[in-house]
Amino acid sequence: MKDIKNFGFGLLRLPHIDPNDNTDIDLDEMIKMVDKFMESGFMYFDTAYSYLGYKSEAFFKKAVADRYPRESYSITTKLPCLELKETDNAREFFQTSLDRCGVEYFDFYFLHSLNRAKFDLAEKCGWFDLLSEVKAEGKTKKIGFSFHDSAEVLDEILTKHPEVDVVQIQLNYLDWENPTIQSRACYEVCVKHGKPVVVMEPIKGGNLINIPEKALEKMKAYNPKASTASWALRFAASQPNVMMVLSGMGNMEQMEENLSFMKDFKPLNEEEMAILRECAEIIRNSVAIGCTGCSYCTDGCPVGIPIPRYFSLYNENERDKWQANAKARYQALVKDGFTRASGCLSCRQCEFMCPQKLPITQLLPKVAQKFE
């Protein structure tokens, strides 16, 4: 297999036919994006067992595995630790992913979204043993895990499991010094243990695209042609221990823009890094709810509240109060059959699933007060 470059195609966000249904993937558009990606010399794809209503792996098979020779691409998928119970047979989930993806082996196989609670369950259930077993069997080349917790927990995991090859963490310039996400601290733990990093959420679910005017002015004063996405992706890829930066792209325009600066990648210089530190402070003071739109919270919501969409509208309204149509679009979603924010039962299942550790049941009443 040829050397992989530092830019990967994340298959959590894909082009949709119906914007209200994240499982209704536009396969034709996805295929065009895959072809453009690979024609540009890239080959790394990232998916997971549960992405897009359990359909992402199957779409990878249709768009990539069924159309390209095995040695021309690299595929990562993940054991659904957020859903597995102590009584579940993890080996069966692994085999299901192989079948769905249409491959005989993975290049990388991860435990998905480890935190303290899921790490304790992984230890009890032997999920790290499963990683080592499938690697020894040649069914995956490398093993690792994606992670959402403190640097202290990450250090404990890597101390107990030096056998893992790579770690996937949330890393972006806004969360670099965030005391909850701890991007920098987690990155430094990976460096300490000699583990290459795969970056997720480099644009923080799109929150680093439409940034406050004051931050945008600083970027444009330095480089009028550079997009906000380029600043964010280049920040992540500029960290020396980063092996791969993932981007979930919803259309060909986003793909082409990202490829335009990642094909001939140039690390940020010190002046650019300083500008991003200033921009991060401006953005931190303007973001009302730090939701990345991953939608982990929605799958188990007993009343079907589209939490990320409501939070996006709330942020938009707070950032640009002149956009009065945020309330109208909220009401349109309710009219389409989605449960109101005020319909929350406070079961807090969403909070357990949230990688950003948001107090969702405290935030939904604010949305209701604003739009209802």
Side-chain angles (χ1 to χ4, degrees), residues 54-323:
Y54 309 95
K55 293 184 177 181
S56 178
E57 291 177 328
F59 277 103
F60 165 81
K61 179 179 185 297
K62 293 176 182 178
V64 183
D66 287 349
R67 302 175 57 249
Y68 283 92
R70 182 62 183 89
E71 67 276 8
S72 67
Y73 60 84
S74 173
I75 176 62
T76 298
T77 196
K78 310 174 190 78
L79 185 73
C81 299
L82 289 171
E83 302 172 37
L84 256 64
K85 302 177 181 63
E86 187 177 343
T87 55
D88 288 330
N89 185 344
R91 170 72 73 154
E92 292 179 358
F93 285 81
F94 175 80
Q95 185 60 49
T96 297
S97 286
L98 279 177
D99 296 340
R100 284 179 180 170
C101 289
V103 296
E104 295 182 354
Y105 67 91
F106 296 118
D107 297 278
F108 299 85
Y109 191 68
F110 292 169
L111 302 184
H112 193 183
S113 199
L114 285 193
N115 55 20
R116 161 56 64 194
K118 286 302 175 184
F119 172 55
D120 291 343
L121 187 59
E123 292 288 84
K124 187 175 184 178
C125 297
W127 295 343
F128 280 94
D129 294 336
L130 172 66
L131 293 184
S132 296
E133 289 168 8
V134 295
K135 182 178 180 181
E137 294 165 5
K139 293 182 179 180
T140 186
K141 292 186 175 182
K142 295 184 182 295
I143 57 175
F145 56 89
S146 62
F147 181 77
H148 290 285
D149 211 318
S150 69
E152 181 182 5
V153 174
L154 179 58
D155 187 55
E156 180 182 345
I157 295 174
L158 291 177
T159 298
K160 289 186 177 180
H161 292 284
E163 72 274 14
V164 303
D165 299 301
V166 62
V167 180
Q168 183 169 313
I169 63 173
Q170 179 169 320
L171 190 157
N172 56 69
Y173 70 83
L174 185 61
D175 291 326
W176 190 242
E177 302 293 350
N178 185 317
T180 302
I181 306 301
Q182 299 185 9
S183 282
R184 178 181 59 79
C186 289
Y187 169 82
E188 290 174 352
V189 168
C190 293
V191 173
K192 168 188 169 183
H193 287 272
K195 305 302 179 184
V197 168
V198 174
V199 172
M200 56 184 162
E201 302 291 2
I203 308 177
K204 199 171 173 64
N207 287 314
L208 300 181
I209 300 297
N210 298 313
I211 62 175
E213 191 65 30
K214 285 178 63 178
L216 183 61
E217 288 173 358
K218 289 182 178 294
M219 292 180 179
K220 294 300 182 183
Y222 183 85
N223 185 347
K225 295 182 179 180
S227 66
T228 52
S230 71
W231 282 87
L233 287 168
R234 288 177 62 220
F235 173 85
S238 294
Q239 310 308 318
N241 198 49
V242 166
M243 177 191 86
M244 184 65 55
V245 177
L246 303 175
S247 180
M249 294 161 282
N251 54 54
M252 180 62 81
E253 182 181 359
Q254 293 174 3
M255 171 68 75
E256 290 177 339
E257 180 189 351
N258 290 344
L259 292 175
S260 70
F261 53 83
M262 294 302 290
K263 280 180 67 173
D264 300 306
F265 173 72
K266 294 181 177 58
L268 294 178
N269 59 39
E270 285 302 317
E271 187 175 358
E272 289 172 310
M273 287 288 191
I275 290 170
L276 282 186
R277 286 193 290 271
E278 295 176 10
C279 291
E281 185 63 26
I282 295 169
I283 297 168
R284 268 193 295 271
N285 293 329
S286 70
V287 175
I289 301 175
C291 174
T292 64
C294 70
S295 296
Y296 290 179
C297 59
T298 59
D299 289 339
C301 178
V303 291
I305 299 173
I307 299 166
R309 301 182 72 176
Y310 287 172
F311 285 173
S312 177
L313 289 174
Y314 186 89
N315 282 338
E316 180 182 308
N317 187 79
E318 292 300 290
R319 184 176 62 245
D320 301 310
K321 294 183 183 297
W322 55 268
Q323 289 194 358

